[in-house]
Amino acid sequence: MNFITEGELYQNVLKTVAHAGNLININENALERLKYPRRAITVSVTLKGDDNKIRTYTGYRVQHNQTLGPFKGGLRFHQDVNISEVAALSALMTFKNSLLNLPLGGAKGGICIDPKTLSPGEMQRLTRSFTSEIGPFIGPDKDIPAPDVGTDSQTMAWMLDTYSSEFGFAQTGVVTGKPVEIGGSHGRDSATGLGVIFICEKALATKNKKMDEATIAIQGFGKVGMHAAIEAYKLNAKVVAVSDVSGGLYNEKGINIEELVKYTSENGGLIKGFTGCDSISNDDLLALDVDILAPCALDHAINSGNMETVRADIIVEGANGPVTSNATKYLHDKGVMIVPDILANGGGVVVSYFEWVQDIVWLFWSAEEVREKLKTIMYRSFDTVWEFSQDQNQDMRSSAMAVALKRLEKAMTLRGLAW
Ligand code: NAD
């Protein structure tokens, strides 16, 4: 153990890995390599503020594993960012990319700063300063950052521009999640939510149900939750409840999501005040008797305190870590299927991978092509995890990790890294 791996999240990842590793009797040399990040870079990010004073922040890029391909993972600008959390998230990217069978390794990065305190000009200067510092370690063939909490397509556009200035020509493949106008992919914005719904379809099918016969409650109406709701509505599922930071809405006949999206776009992005629905607390939403509960907002939303109230048949983790390990065990034993985050919210990184591929070949796909290719990968990934869980009588979380480890172990063996 060292200061990078000692954080709670990293230790939890190691526990999940150890358990899943046991299930597949993993080669111990491969396991040892997966326990630590390959490289953890700490940089000083200087920012000349609007007040002309230089301020210095700490930034990180942790590159966990590159057995399957170049490092890949998001950049988070948030006041709670620390190296151990970034390292844990980088390891989860290694496992997510392996599970989805993408030719990519795992990385994550961030700056410990509250971006809400910055003007747009300061945000741009901070991003450019950080990109210069990590520049030698990233690149289309080395490590490809993407947006995460506190960063967006604009942040990626500034990164692309700063990185490219070293070369004298555009290096579009250095980041994903860019605007479409400068090499981004169609369908990236809706990819995670859409992937959540592809997974819902597959999970329902194991219970011989279709989306148009299902009820669904969604916590969170942001990038993930809103697009999941839009897609579920299109497929004629009954979206009976949604919530965001401003409150919750309930309608047993199903909420008109098209109208709600229009309403939120005219009301600061929040659902509060939308008419034709009852209001519902977040606790009550999580306790609804629905076919599918999709927590798409917060980590630890379902925990030891409220797990006994859950009545959904299936939980699809749109957010990262919304069901704690205690709650996972309790609900799995009760017969609830929990589709884990590394599978359920993998749609975002799949379309990021598509974006990187399109940038390399300079040939861009239509939204429909992206959607069909995403569906193929999400369906196939679900099937692989489901089959493992049935064969081995394991929950879906352990099964997803076991499938991810198996691929990594095989690749490491072939590369001579597990001997
Ligand atoms: P977001 O900021 O766009 O949306 C978050 C939503 O949660 C907002 O609607 C917000 O109002 C709501 N929310 C906040 N506090 C709440 C509360 N107490 N109760 C109910 N709702 C609350 O974020 P996002 O990108 O949609 O990410 C959501 C989760 O999904 C995070 O865990 C993120 O790490 C994960 N995730 C996102 C992506 C992606 O592509 N955006 C990919 C993988 C995982």
Side-chain angles (χ1 to χ4, degrees):
M1 181 140 103
N2 58 39
F3 71 101
I4 291 173
T5 59
E6 73 194 6
E8 192 188 343
L9 186 57
Y10 205 106
Q11 287 300 309
N12 282 341
V13 173
L14 287 183
K15 273 187 214 149
T16 314
V17 168
H19 172 65
N22 269 338
L23 296 178
I24 59 163
N25 198 15
I26 193 170
N27 172 301
E28 62 183 37
N29 286 340
L31 183 63
E32 180 65 14
R33 283 185 190 274
L34 290 168
K35 281 187 195 162
Y36 302 94
R38 181 81 187 261
R39 196 177 285 130
I41 302 144
T42 303
V43 295
S44 296
V45 187
T46 50
L47 165 67
K48 192 167 197 179
D50 290 343
D51 58 3
N52 263 338
K53 290 209 172 89
I54 297 277
R55 300 198 290 273
T56 309
Y57 299 92
T58 307
Y60 308 102
R61 185 71 183 166
V62 180
Q63 299 173 331
H64 178 259
N65 189 279
Q66 57 172 352
T67 304
L68 300 173
F71 298 110
K72 176 101 192 82
L75 284 178
R76 180 172 287 205
F77 291 2
H78 191 273
Q79 60 276 18
D80 294 339
V81 161
N82 64 69
I83 194 160
S84 189
E85 183 197 62
V86 172
L89 295 169
S90 75
L92 287 173
M93 286 307 300
T94 297
F95 304 124
K96 182 185 276 192
N97 291 337
S98 173
L99 167 64
L100 296 162
N101 213 4
L102 305 179
L104 295 168
K108 204 84 177 187
I111 305 178
C112 180
I113 190 169
D114 179 358
K116 290 195 286 300
T117 62
L118 302 179
S119 69
E122 289 175 325
M123 184 74 177
Q124 175 170 176
R125 293 196 292 282
L126 179 89
T127 304
R128 289 187 183 278
S129 169
F130 180 56
T131 309
S132 297
E133 294 307 329
I134 64 166
F137 304 98
I138 61 172
D141 304 322
K142 285 194 235 174
D143 182 356
I144 308 120
D148 194 82
V149 176
T151 55
D152 58 16
S153 58
Q154 177 61 76
T155 323
M156 295 304 112
W158 291 325
M159 288 193 74
L160 157 62
D161 189 70
T162 308
Y163 182 81
S164 298
S165 65
E166 292 287 313
F167 295 82
F169 54 92
Q171 295 278 317
T172 51
V174 67
V175 286
T176 59
K178 307 175 288 290
V180 170
E181 293 80 358
I182 52 171
S185 176
H186 286 293
R188 175 63 187 86
D189 291 347
S190 54
T192 308
L194 183 54
V196 165
I197 296 304
F198 289 145
I199 292 297
C200 289
E201 284 184 303
K202 293 296 286 186
L204 279 171
T206 67
K207 298 180 185 291
N208 296 318
K209 256 199 168 170
K210 295 203 172 94
M211 283 298 280
D212 60 7
E213 301 161 325
T215 51
I216 175 164
I218 301 176
Q219 184 192 41
F221 207 67
K223 293 187 281 292
V224 181
M226 183 182 75
H227 286 289
I230 292 171
E231 199 55 32
Y233 183 73
K234 277 192 203 152
L235 293 173
N236 294 320
K238 218 185 263 178
V239 184
V240 293
V242 298
S243 68
D244 70 6
V245 72
S246 71
L249 301 170
Y250 174 75
N251 185 337
E252 66 171 348
K253 296 201 179 87
I255 299 168
N256 185 327
I257 299 297
E258 230 168 67
E259 294 283 319
L260 180 60
V261 169
K262 196 160 159 271
Y263 176 85
T264 57
S265 69
E266 291 160 1
N267 289 279
L270 297 175
I271 63 175
K272 195 184 170 98
F274 184 69
T275 51
C277 297
D278 297 328
S279 64
I280 188 171
S281 71
N282 256 297
D283 283 346
D284 289 344
L285 179 146
L286 296 173
L288 284 173
D289 186 5
V290 283
D291 294 303
I292 298 173
L293 175 61
C296 299
L298 309 165
D299 56 356
H300 298 176
I302 301 167
N303 51 53
S304 305
N306 62 6
M307 62 192 185
E308 287 172 25
T309 65
V310 171
R311 287 185 292 160
D313 288 338
I314 299 167
I315 299 176
V316 176
E317 292 188 329
N320 281 322
V323 186
T324 63
S325 43
N326 278 350
T328 298
K329 181 163 180 355
Y330 172 83
L331 291 166
H332 173 71
D333 291 347
K334 233 177 100 180
V336 179
M337 181 201 288
I338 302 175
V339 187
D341 44 10
I342 61 167
L343 172 58
N345 68 29
V349 72
V350 171
V351 177
S352 265
Y353 160 62
F354 293 163
E355 180 177 335
W356 176 67
V357 169
Q358 291 169 82
D359 287 335
I360 290 171
V361 295
W362 289 100
L363 180 67
F364 289 88
W365 307 337
S366 68
E368 201 39 50
E369 281 174 281
V370 169
R371 183 193 169 91
E372 285 311 304
K373 289 179 164 70
L374 172 62
K375 188 196 268 188
T376 304
I377 292 185
M378 298 309 290
Y379 277 12
R380 185 185 65 203
S381 304
F382 181 94
D383 287 341
T384 313
V385 175
W386 173 249
E387 276 159 30
F388 186 97
S389 80
Q390 295 303 292
D391 285 353
Q392 306 284 325
N393 195 22
Q394 291 294 325
D395 65 69
M396 294 285 279
R397 195 183 304 288
S398 311
S399 304
M401 186 58 89
V403 169
L405 289 175
K406 224 175 182 164
R407 287 216 178 97
L408 283 159
E409 180 193 42
K410 176 84 185 166
M412 283 181 172
T413 306
L414 288 167
R415 288 181 61 156
L417 297 171
W419 300 357

